Amino acid sequence: MTVDWKLFADLAEHAGDRHVTLDDPGETVGDALETLLADRPALADRVLEEDGTLRSQINVLRNGTDVEQSAGLETGLEDGDELALFPPVSGG
Amino acid sequence: MHVLGVIGRGTNRETLERAVDRLVDELSTRGRVGVVRYDATIADGTPTVDQSSPTVGGDVTYELGVDGDWLASGTGLSVRDALDALATDCDYAVVTGVAELQYPCVLVGSDGDRETATENEDEDEDGDEVTEVLARVPAVADLESDAVADTLERREPYETLESLVDRVKTSPHADRAGAIATFTGRVRAKDFDDDDRTEYLEFEKYEGVADERLAALREDLESREGVYAVEMHHRTGVVRDGEDIVFVVVLAGHRREAFRTVEDGIDRLKDEVPLFKKEVTVGDEFWVHDRE
């Protein structure tokens, strides 16, 4: 299964990329996040608390919907999912 | 209004003009077209060599006929001012003579093909977006105007406060509307007197999702009792000191609904739409949420 991560703002800068494709993301959004962060320590540092949990202001979307509206990081993945990771929005 | 730049890269004036003509012809079948011709070689004080200029008198001159046809000339206009003026009236603006436009463009000439060797030609080495090239045409015969026009229509339009106000007035319910309220978000150069001046902001958006959220927000606001039309526009990319960033316009039966909906509109836009602001001052560069 393949999923795509889209990264924004300073998260993209910390990751060195705006777009990351994962060929073996795991079963859940949380797995895909772990896979994403595994090779990206600067990004991991930016988005994770010291105890390894995701900082509360970081948003995770699956196909345009915040995962908080489904099962959070336990939300299941499907092939072709588009995931997004971003800090608090700052439009306007 | 959609803005299209036509830029020469190793070509002559005549070829460039023919390319412009082709594009203007195509776009004219789809709506009203404005053309902005910028000539960087015309310096201050040098009279333009244009026999059809109207008789000069005053700082701006309009010559009008009963049929609505007109000629105008004046001083102090920038390309941006010209685009602002066209935005209420035209569906498309074709701009020539500007080397780096923040809008999609067509490159005409033999040097266009050798533009860049990077994989994604729309990004510089920092991965920042530069002008999007819709087509590179060594010769006018290579130009597929209809394809260029189709692609152009899927890009961000150029809107001003006035173009949005004009649009809400075309609502089928405009007969019942006695109020239009608007909000304009602009670049705040300083947060306090001694603050470093903000040179520009740069806005990134989550393509697709931002547009969906904006559309859903608009629908929600329009469904309110007494609200007849809502228009919103948020610029992306670089927005400089002195420029406007975002507009929210509400057409309503009465002022109470208009004011409330405008306020809720901008508050929710800032809260719900995935847009990200980077601030660049003289001494610094930072993503805004980092400082909050």
Side-chain angles (χ1 to χ4, degrees):
Chain A
M1 133 150 78
T2 303
V3 304
D4 286 314
W5 273 106
K6 292 215 163 150
L7 306 173
F8 296 90
D10 64 313
L11 304 195
E13 286 172 1
H14 281 88
D17 245 314
R18 288 203 164 119
H19 183 203
V20 178
T21 300
L22 300 182
D23 292 319
D24 189 16
E27 301 292 314
T28 65
V29 173
D31 291 338
L33 181 61
E34 214 177 292
T35 310
L36 175 73
L37 299 180
D39 297 321
R40 296 171 178 82
L43 179 61
D45 215 51
R46 167 71 180 94
V47 304
L48 300 180
E49 300 278 15
E50 280 186 13
D51 63 2
T53 57
L54 191 63
R55 291 187 203 267
S56 59
Q57 339 95 315
I58 301 297
N59 297 287
V60 182
L61 268 57
R62 174 176 171 255
N63 299 326
T65 305
D66 198 312
V67 297
E68 290 304 308
Q69 288 177 24
S70 48
L73 294 177
E74 299 306 308
T75 305
L77 292 175
E78 281 173 34
D79 188 35
D81 273 354
E82 178 177 291
L83 305 176
L85 195 70
F86 50 80
V89 301
S90 49
Chain B
M1 179 175 82
H2 284 94
V3 178
L4 177 68
V6 183
I7 301 173
R9 285 266 189 276
T11 187
N12 57 41
R13 194 189 196 99
E14 197 199 308
T15 307
L16 196 61
E17 281 309 315
R18 284 194 293 128
V20 169
D21 283 347
R22 280 241 189 147
L23 289 162
V24 170
D25 283 348
E26 171 63 38
L27 294 171
S28 297
T29 66
R30 303 173 186 230
R32 267 174 81 81
V33 182
V35 180
V36 178
R37 295 174 187 287
Y38 180 71
D39 188 340
T41 64
I42 297 179
D44 206 30
T46 313
T48 58
V49 184
D50 179 13
Q51 256 97 38
S52 61
S53 284
T55 313
V56 174
D59 297 299
V60 180
T61 305
Y62 281 94
E63 288 188 357
L64 310 172
V66 163
D67 57 0
D69 287 356
W70 56 275
L71 285 175
S73 78
T75 60
L77 201 71
S78 66
V79 170
R80 175 158 278 278
D81 291 336
L83 291 175
D84 284 352
L86 292 173
T88 48
D89 180 44
C90 291
D91 302 296
Y92 305 95
V94 175
V95 182
T96 72
V98 179
E100 274 170 30
L101 202 56
Q102 215 180 333
Y103 296 92
C105 67
V106 169
L107 299 184
V108 179
S110 50
D111 291 348
D113 278 345
R114 288 182 251 130
E115 190 62 15
T116 173
T118 58
E119 239 179 60
N120 184 340
E121 290 158 316
D122 294 336
E123 293 183 1
D124 62 21
E125 61 268 6
D126 296 323
D128 293 328
E129 276 175 44
V130 294
T131 311
E132 185 190 355
V133 178
L134 298 187
R136 287 180 170 77
V137 292
V140 180
D142 301 314
L143 180 59
E144 288 171 14
S145 307
D146 50 350
V148 169
D150 287 343
T151 311
L152 181 66
E153 282 168 7
R154 293 194 291 270
R155 293 297 176 267
E156 290 269 340
Y158 185 109
E159 303 283 5
T160 59
L161 184 64
E162 292 73 21
S163 68
L164 299 181
V165 169
D166 265 21
R167 193 163 306 136
V168 298
K169 289 179 181 177
T170 65
S171 161
H173 307 289
D175 284 352
R176 304 293 310 276
I180 297 174
T182 78
F183 173 79
T184 300
R186 62 189 302 267
V187 177
R188 182 172 56 250
K190 298 184 180 188
D191 280 329
F192 47 89
D193 284 345
D194 295 334
D195 196 11
D196 271 351
R197 199 172 185 91
T198 297
E199 293 192 330
Y200 64 89
L201 302 176
E202 196 167 344
F203 287 94
E204 195 184 332
K205 101 174 166 175
Y206 186 175
E207 289 284 343
V209 178
D211 300 301
E212 277 165 25
R213 296 258 180 111
L214 213 51
L217 172 58
R218 178 192 179 185
E219 218 177 284
D220 203 30
L221 297 171
E222 279 182 344
S223 72
R224 292 187 181 190
E225 185 78 30
V227 175
Y228 297 127
V230 174
E231 290 285 342
M232 297 181 287
H233 180 70
H234 193 299
R235 286 177 61 189
T236 55
V238 172
V239 183
R240 300 188 184 283
D241 183 10
E243 294 180 357
D244 297 332
I245 302 161
V246 58
F247 308 107
V248 178
V249 174
V250 175
L251 178 80
H254 303 271
R255 67 187 185 282
R256 176 137 304 127
E257 289 75 29
F259 286 140
R260 285 194 180 149
T261 306
V262 155
E263 183 170 5
D264 289 347
I266 185 62
D267 285 349
R268 287 185 58 184
L269 186 157
K270 285 171 72 79
D271 201 44
E272 295 170 19
V273 181
L275 291 155
F276 308 97
K277 176 192 305 181
K278 182 154 88 170
E279 190 166 327
V280 177
T281 66
V282 176
D284 206 357
E285 179 181 303
F286 53 92
W287 290 93
V288 167
H289 58 271
D290 287 341
R291 298 285 169 100
E292 279 163 9

